[in-house]
Amino acid sequence: MELNNIIEIIADSGNRGKELMMDSFIVGVAWGRKLINTIQEIQQATNYLYQLNQEVELSQKTAFYKLDLFQKFLLEDNCQLFPQVEAKFQQLPQEEIKQEPKVNNNNRNESLCGICNFQINDLPDEKFKIPYCGHEFHNLCLYQEIDQKDQAKCSTCSIQLDPTVKKDLLKLISPSFRSCCPFINCQQEFIYYGQSTFTCQNCNIPFCLKCKQIEHNNQCNLGIDYIEMRQGQRFKLCFDCQEIIILNFQDLSSHQCKTQKENQNTKHHGIFNKIARFLKKDQKY
């Protein structure tokens, strides 16, 4: 099988950006370990990972569920990441299944998140410990919980938290999870977890996160270049020409406003017309 075929299958999976890179790496490891060996198995693996990403985006599963599966797959050869591979291995006699040495994680300083129940790495951009009660959470999980319920409470014991905790959490969360206000002149950030709209508290402008335009009562007009909203996606909306600038792929300074161009062309045409009229008058005399 040619490498180009594998790359094309992964690229056509529907994932983009960071998710595409992560999934490509995992599929490549599975291919290298000979857990998947055919075009059909690669297609099944990429389809499964795409569906998993969709479930995470729509908040049916926490983002740390996928990271936990990836971690176990890389360190422990856990085949639960690919259901069709796991089913194939279950049919083999135990002596035919390669036994990989388990990695000793006893020295890793980790705890379980009180919301998603997955491990928390002892890192400042991932772990948050409530000082009043000592309960620990992923920064991302606690932020989403507070934002969805619109109340700052501990998810385990319901103790009231400081009203500023949401802003503090947002600063701690890794930039790869943060999105930004679509208004070009606003620096406000937020976390996308499947919500349909976002209203910025700074500029007070409501945006539809599906079509990435100003909120319009669920009447989205999706063009051929439509890119689905995902966690960590950063975009700006040009209010003049209504063009969407995805900052994950391009720089804001590279945007060339179509409306401004048209206005400049119209202005130039106006000048040329005045010169032409002046020349015609001059010719009469």
Side-chain angles (χ1 to χ4, degrees), residues 196-212:
S196 58
T197 60
F198 166 71
T199 301
C200 179
Q201 294 181 350
N202 282 357
C203 56
N204 201 31
I205 301 175
F207 291 92
C208 171
L209 295 179
K210 185 174 182 181
C211 66
K212 302 178 177 64

Side-chain angles (χ1 to χ4, degrees), residues 10-11 13 15-31 36 45-46 49-50 52-53 56-57 62-74 81-82 126 174 176-177 230-231:
I10 298 173
S13 67
N15 291 323
R16 294 292 181 268
K18 179 186 69 175
E19 299 298 340
L20 179 60
M21 293 178 64
M22 291 175 61
D23 294 353
S24 301
F25 176 72
I26 289 295
V27 171
V29 171
W31 175 263
I36 50 179
T46 53
L49 291 176
Y50 177 75
L52 182 59
N53 288 333
V56 169
E57 292 294 340
T62 170
F64 297 99
Y65 172 76
K66 177 182 176 181
L67 294 176
D68 192 64
L69 282 178
F70 278 19
Q71 190 80 354
K72 288 181 179 178
F73 175 73
L74 293 173
L81 183 58
F82 300 111
E126 185 169 318
S174 169
S176 62
F177 290 112
R230 297 206 170 176
Q231 194 169 76

Side-chain angles (χ1 to χ4, degrees), residues 128-137 142 146 151-166 168-169:
F128 186 84
K129 185 174 182 178
I130 296 177
Y132 316 117
C133 57
H135 293 126
E136 295 179 335
F137 306 93
L142 186 58
I146 293 172
Q151 54 184 3
K153 291 184 178 181
C154 172
S155 296
T156 302
C157 65
S158 297
I159 191 172
Q160 195 71 34
L161 305 180
D162 193 296
T164 63
V165 69
K166 184 178 171 182
D168 296 338
L169 284 168

Side-chain angles (χ1 to χ4, degrees), residues 89-130:
F89 268 61
Q90 287 176 349
Q91 296 173 1
L92 295 175
Q94 287 298 314
E95 59 271 13
E96 292 186 26
I97 300 178
K98 183 179 69 172
Q99 297 295 327
E100 292 285 344
K102 299 290 183 181
V103 177
N104 184 6
N105 293 325
N106 292 335
N107 295 327
R108 296 172 67 183
N109 187 14
E110 294 180 336
S111 54
L112 294 181
C113 173
I115 296 174
C116 70
N117 205 33
F118 285 100
Q119 287 182 332
I120 313 172
N121 291 317
D122 194 18
L123 300 171
D125 66 347
E126 185 169 318
K127 184 177 182 178
F128 186 84
K129 185 174 182 178
I130 296 177

Side-chain angles (χ1 to χ4, degrees), residues 246-282:
I246 306 294
L247 301 181
N248 304 72
F249 308 132
Q250 66 184 106
D251 189 76
L252 188 60
S253 60
S254 66
H255 170 63
Q256 297 180 346
C257 181
K258 298 175 184 176
T259 303
Q260 290 179 4
K261 274 187 174 181
E262 291 173 358
N263 291 339
Q264 288 176 355
N265 291 335
T266 304
K267 184 178 180 181
H268 292 321
H269 285 312
I271 293 172
F272 291 143
N273 290 336
K274 287 180 180 178
I275 294 173
R277 284 196 298 269
F278 175 78
L279 291 174
K280 283 182 180 179
K281 287 180 180 179
D282 190 52

Side-chain angles (χ1 to χ4, degrees), residues 143-155:
Y143 178 90
Q144 291 181 185
E145 184 91 351
I146 293 172
D147 193 52
Q148 285 176 320
K149 294 183 177 179
D150 197 24
Q151 54 184 3
K153 291 184 178 181
C154 172
S155 296

